[in-house]
């Protein structure tokens, strides 16, 4: 169990926007601002991030009524070295040369600062402020465009040797069939890709209409499946089976008492209910008995990245990560 | 990275024998004794364990030249509550009524004492004294009669909510095929069971001879597979494919820099080499890059349980578990 900590600053660097906020020790957003992101090249990306941070640091000083933050956390997509506070690499945002992001944030705000990837941050946010707060051990699954996970036991996130832990999208769910990975079957991006590949086999599918209208996403797949569309059913059933089996496997490995889902795709109509039902039917009894919660994240989806980054700072202060600067 | 600690006592309670030893901070067995185990019922099992412990405690006093142990660890098969130090339940050894084993050991030796299951202990032994010592994050796999794992990051073992973490035998490796679990395919017990089920389909198989001679175990399967026996090849190839895919999946989840195998079955001729080759061929590149070691445990197989139990005490002293008494 984790105790709520002091207010911290969370910086969420996304592909199109940067969200920065002051977050209370209970996870409430006390003050926040949104900035445009730029990603034509690394220099512009850095300029966008650190000028936004500079603006927010100045804004905090203009609001002396707000409580002073004790630390800062930053989350973004890519490969991070959380111990060094360095953003090593990213495809989505053009980072080819490592950025000492924690150190630069630390100087801008005069605060200790930490850095991790977006899904690790989201898991920490859920752990500190959400359904993980009362859990001994939480499995957090982000089911969005891609698929990844965070495993939290007590105050510690499983990061692995190089901070790659949680890359569950690569799990092989059918090793007898020459290998079939989880992410292409059960992520939002995988559902779209699967629909596009199979559309020629299903003329007249509701997903063809959705595609023509620019609405082909996981919600459309689960809606059409609910209406009995054969292609959509095939895709939705496979997504549920793969994700359900993966959750059962991870529960056997991790023995969590909380399984929390974040991300956009899992909010497709019926998906979470069906995955939960698969898990209840297939998970090994002793492991399933430990489960106290399985369901959606408690955090506002629009603010999960920022709140998670603030939680990263809270965990940093708690000593579960090496302090900086 | 873990520092070697003080000498500790390790108590390994097996189905047929109890092994107790004084183990140095580097994992060397300084002094040990073997006692017969009894398991007709719980009372006799407890009598065997605690009278053996009493004898060992007295023997230590008769050897003042030995360094004094700082703590005691006990490992056994079954469901343990390591925080409470209570052996909750076991099938192999008849434990129906919880045994406050750590408290009783603590009183007998006048030392703080800890308790965990045998595979968690083996993983901790590998972490403190073996190939996990220099690892940031270790995945330990026990491939014996059954299959289970220990995941160690820094000084912390992933135990989960109820100490069931690591039950990888339940992983479903073929969710499209109605579910095919890892343990029946890739454990020593699973290989024997699989051979017995398929023997009628393969008259004249070398495994039939092995079975008649009372030699049907995983070594016989891999030996016969090496000689081209069709049934043995089918079983061995499936075991390698399932275990290899499971290792790849666990590497994606955990991102270890060391993957260490213990247990008897993995020592079947060629099995480890084939599983390692599968992993090298199928594991996701970024995850595989983190790997510094994949191979057999550094510990003497005959003493792994005892050394692991001693390591449990070392971890206990390090503060990674709540102190006791």
């Amino acid at each position: 169990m984790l105790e709520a900590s002091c207010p911290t600053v969370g910086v969420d660097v996304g592909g199109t926007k940067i969200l920065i906020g002051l977050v209370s020790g209970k996870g409430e957003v006390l003050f926040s601002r949104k900035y445009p992101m730029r990603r034509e090249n690394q220099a512009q990306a850095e300029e966008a991030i650190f000028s936004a941070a500079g603006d927010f640091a100045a804004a905090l000083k203009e609001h002396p009524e707000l409580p002073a933050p004790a630390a800062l956390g930053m989350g973004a997509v890519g490969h991070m070295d959380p111990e060094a506070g360095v953003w090593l690499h990213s495809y989505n945002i053009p980072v080819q040369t490592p950025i000492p992001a924690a150190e630069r944030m630390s100087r801008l705000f005069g605060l200790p600062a930490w850095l991790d990837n977006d899904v690790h941050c989201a898991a920490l946010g859920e752990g500190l402020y959400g359904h993980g707060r009362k859990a001994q051990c939480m499995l957090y699954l982000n089911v969005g465009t891609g698929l990844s996970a965070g495993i939290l036991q007590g105050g510690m996130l499983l990061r692995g040797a190089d901070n790659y832990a949680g890359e569950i999208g690569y799990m092989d769910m059918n090793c007898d069939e020459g290998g079939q990975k989880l992410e292409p079957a059960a992520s939002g991006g995988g559902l779209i890709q699967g629909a596009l590949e199979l559309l020629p086999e299903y003329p007249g599918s509701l997903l063809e209409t959705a595609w023509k209208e620019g609405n082909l996403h996981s919600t459309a797949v689960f809606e059409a499946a609910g209406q009995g569309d054969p292609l959509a059913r095939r895709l939705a059933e496979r997504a549920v089976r793969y994700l359900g089996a993966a959750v059962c496997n991870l529960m056997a490995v991790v023995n969590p008492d909380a399984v929390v889902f974040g991300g956009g795709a899992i909010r497709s109509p019926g998906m979470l209910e069906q995955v939960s039902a698969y898990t209840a039917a297939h998970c090994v009894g002793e492991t399933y008995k430990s489960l106290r919660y399985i369901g959606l994240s408690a955090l506002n989806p629009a603010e999960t990245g920022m709140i998670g980054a603030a939680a990263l700072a809270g965990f940093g202060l708690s000593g579960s990560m090496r302090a900086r600067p």
Side-chain angles (χ1 to χ4, degrees), chain A residues 7-324:
Chain A
T8 54
V9 172
V11 181
D12 172 30
V13 177
T16 57
K17 64 179 196 301
I18 300 160
L19 206 54
I20 310 183
L22 177 68
V23 178
S24 82
K26 292 177 175 171
E28 304 146 327
V29 179
L30 305 173
F31 176 70
S32 71
R33 282 192 177 174
K34 192 189 288 190
Y35 303 89
M37 179 59 183
R38 297 185 65 181
R39 46 176 180 163
E40 297 91 324
N41 56 51
Q42 178 164 345
Q44 285 182 327
E46 290 190 42
E47 166 65 20
I49 294 164
F50 295 105
S51 71
D55 175 84
F56 192 83
L60 281 185
K61 285 188 188 144
E62 290 160 16
H63 290 276
E65 77 282 7
L66 292 171
L72 177 146
M74 170 176 154
V77 175
H79 187 199
M80 309 294 182
D81 180 342
E83 289 229 351
V86 171
W87 190 354
L88 296 169
H89 188 263
S90 171
Y91 294 107
N92 184 39
I93 293 165
V95 177
Q96 291 92 25
T97 308
I99 305 172
E103 189 190 316
R104 289 180 66 178
M105 286 293 176
S106 183
R107 255 189 276 126
L108 276 172
F109 282 81
L111 295 173
W114 283 270
L115 172 74
D116 208 336
N117 71 48
D118 54 344
V119 175
H120 284 177
C121 285
L124 293 171
E126 196 69 33
L128 198 58
Y129 310 128
H131 293 296
R133 204 162 55 86
K134 292 181 181 169
Q136 302 284 330
C137 181
M138 182 188 69
L139 172 62
Y140 179 87
L141 294 110
N142 185 70
V143 188
T145 306
L147 253 177
S148 50
I151 295 163
L152 196 62
Q153 175 176 291
M156 205 201 64
L157 182 72
L158 183 71
R159 286 190 167 85
D162 290 314
N163 206 41
Y164 274 128
E167 291 294 347
I168 59 169
Y170 297 116
M171 285 171 79
D172 182 355
M173 303 308 294
N174 277 301
C175 69
D176 274 346
E177 303 300 319
Q180 297 186 347
K181 301 275 190 254
L182 178 60
E183 187 159 297
S187 69
L191 282 165
I192 297 170
Q193 190 60 34
L196 290 175
E197 280 165 18
L198 291 169
L199 266 178
E201 292 179 34
Y202 292 84
S205 165
L206 292 173
L207 298 186
E208 196 177 327
T209 320
W211 175 58
K212 285 179 182 159
E213 289 170 353
N215 273 330
L216 182 53
H217 41 61
S218 57
T219 297
V221 173
F222 274 80
E223 271 172 1
Q227 291 162 41
D229 183 80
L231 170 57
R233 280 191 58 181
R234 175 174 167 184
L235 292 167
E237 284 169 11
R238 190 176 67 150
V240 167
R241 186 167 64 251
Y242 276 52
L243 187 56
V247 169
C248 291
N249 287 359
L250 290 166
M251 285 178 66
V253 173
V254 173
N255 184 216
D257 47 350
V259 175
V260 182
F261 294 91
I266 195 67
R267 290 173 165 87
S268 305
M271 186 174 186
L272 175 61
E273 292 72 13
Q274 292 171 50
V275 169
S276 301
Y278 185 102
T279 304
H282 290 84
C283 185
V284 175
E286 282 169 339
T287 302
Y288 196 76
K289 252 193 254 170
S290 298
L291 201 61
R292 301 276 169 275
Y293 178 81
I294 179 167
L296 281 185
S297 163
L299 306 184
N300 176 353
E303 292 177 332
T304 295
M306 180 176 74
I307 294 173
L312 171 69
F315 275 87
L317 285 175
S318 80
S320 76
M321 295 179 68
R322 198 183 294 174
R324 181 178 317 98

